[in-house]
Amino acid sequence: MGNSNEQGNPASKLMRVILPLSAMTLCLWFLQSRITLPSIDEMSQAMASVPFVNWLGAGLATAVSFWSLGRYDGVAHRHLQTGLDGAQARRAGMIAIAFSQTVGFGVLSGSFARWRLLPNLTPARAAQLTVFTGLTFIVALAGLCGAALLLFMPFIAVGWLGALLLVTCLATLATSFVWPEVQFKSITLRWPSLFALSGLTLWAVIDITAAGTALWLLLPADSGISLRMLLPAYFIALGLAVLSSAPGGTGPLELGLITLLSAHDPALILSGIVSFRLVYYALPALFSGVFLLWPQLLGNLLRLKPNAALSDTRYDPAHTIPFSRPRSETAVIRQNGGHLQRFKDTQIALLNTPQTSVALFDPIAGPSGSLFAALIQYSKARNAATCLYKCSPKIALSARNANWKILRIASEAVISPLKFEETGSSKRQLRRKLRNAQKAGIEVRHAANTPPLDQLADIDAKWRAAHGQALGTTMGQFERNYITAQEIFIAWKDNAIIGFASFHTSDREWCLDLIRMGADAPDGTGHALMRAAIDAASEQNIVRLSLAAVPDHKYAARVDRGLRRFKSCFAPRWEPQYIAAPTWPQLALCLLELIRLVHRPKPVQPALTWTPSDQTQHVSDRDHNLLHNQDEENAIAIAKRA
């Protein structure tokens, strides 16, 4: 990696070679000055005392270690979206690591090996993979070293260092969630998702523990070193070896282990390390050298195919969302960066975030039976968690039958425009509000053709000045192209606009998206806007009108009293909505990610003109782009007080 000046600087390249060799030489010299090195005969006798079954066990532990390293490479391929994730790519990663850990100079040797073994990989991409695996491995190893220093080392003086390492690792995890992308000039750096980091940590722990176990099995029986004693020391010594980039970690590994295990015979420790290097370094390096010389021996490794979870699906842009769809609210994807994803015969609105792949609402078309397995595979290919968000009870039941975890999170206020009447005690409050609006001289007009966008933008700006930034991602924000693809109703008083409401539309349903009112809007303005929309929907034979959802959880009554009271004036039918995910941890991560995105939305981008894929006759041929606000509050957004 690095910049072009550094890549072309001979001095820089020379230092990359000199520094690791210098570290190796210095450590070996210091080690030789501290202890008396055993003779070859003494070391041979110590190695011969190791039972044959221990050698077999060490070989098995080595195999487990490299298997986990292959899985580690798989996570890296998915993060960088190379499309090469699979058994072949994992085997290439194992070979590359076996080669680079022995010859040293990790970035150079690892990048060369991956490029050599993966014909579809460019040298730059191979270098990215190598740097990614190296840096994330160091972070995971730092966490293990921190725990070892804090919990197992007898030296009180290094406890603070262990705590510092652990805090640094936790801070890295928090940073990857709160700021998943970092802009550096024209380059966007993307942190691994928490889903990816958990996988990387798991495989790193298995790898390092298996390697340490192999070393312990190869120590002479009379060394007196237990596995519990060896592993923390090995973690720390390995960290020094990795940072040095010395060939095979030679020097720092030996010096670290002998220093940390100073109460035990250094000759026996050295003999165990030599045996370990034969099993864990030399043997894998021999295999890797053969495959690097003759890659054709790997057979189908040279005929890599793209990841099926990504190639067997179809991507359609958000502005082609069909007019004929079950939920009009699905059109929010025109603004939030979502798209339409087709899995075989099932099409759904999908929002990919740094941490998750969120399927919004029910499928737009097709059956839901195969959707759950397809979403798991799709999100796995992105190192992401997945969920269905604000789905209906029918889809939630299908998810439960697929062993997904479900949670009720919202209630949607639904009205039947064709049957709506103002009579009855349940609408007494509505009638009072409408009389207030009438007395104040409020007139509501349907902006059926050309809405006064400049004036609506001014109302939105005043609303934001009074209430703060509008929420986003699953809720609408004002944007000209986005709102002109909606049905808009405007409240006037004394020939001035004092508020407006907009609705998503489909062939069977309208759904409230935005409602904005000026600070001087009289009481009942919002109710008058909704009443006019209900009448217009009835005239167009719309059978379902949604006032959008309100939170429906343990603390909902504390955060949405005004919102629920406003919608309750229309005596709606409350329909439950659910979130569903394959596991509880994924469900929790999806909720946290959505909360982050709702309260910290990206800047609104102009939407593309809505061109429905089905070209069905619709109310108006308009544009799109916008996000929800607290007046049409999403199930996880905390309502603000005016």
Side-chain angles (χ1 to χ4, degrees), residues 316-321 325 328 330-340 453 476-488 503-505 513-514 604-612 620-627:
D316 290 312
H319 71 277
T320 65
I321 187 170
R325 60 185 189 273
S328 59
T330 312
V332 74
I333 65 165
R334 297 176 57 241
Q335 186 181 67
N336 63 15
H339 67 278
L340 304 175
L453 293 177
Q477 291 178 323
F478 185 91
E479 194 277 322
R480 292 169 181 262
N481 287 346
Y482 175 75
I483 197 172
T484 51
Q486 299 180 336
E487 292 291 346
I488 304 173
F503 291 78
H504 295 295
T505 63
D513 186 38
L514 291 180
V604 177
Q605 298 296 320
L608 296 176
T609 300
W610 183 29
T611 53
S620 56
D621 188 15
R622 305 173 185 174
D623 295 2
H624 79 233
N625 210 342
L626 164 62
L627 285 145

Side-chain angles (χ1 to χ4, degrees), residues 301-360:
L301 180 58
L302 301 180
R303 295 187 294 276
L304 290 169
K305 297 180 180 180
N307 190 296
L310 297 180
S311 63
D312 292 346
T313 64
R314 194 183 81 191
Y315 170 101
D316 290 312
H319 71 277
T320 65
I321 187 170
F323 182 66
S324 177
R325 60 185 189 273
R327 297 282 294 272
S328 59
E329 192 177 2
T330 312
V332 74
I333 65 165
R334 297 176 57 241
Q335 186 181 67
N336 63 15
H339 67 278
L340 304 175
Q341 192 75 36
R342 185 174 291 277
F343 300 103
K344 295 183 179 180
D345 297 327
T346 303
Q347 186 181 47
I348 197 160
L350 195 64
L351 175 63
N352 286 332
T353 78
Q355 305 289 345
T356 63
S357 288
V358 179
L360 296 171

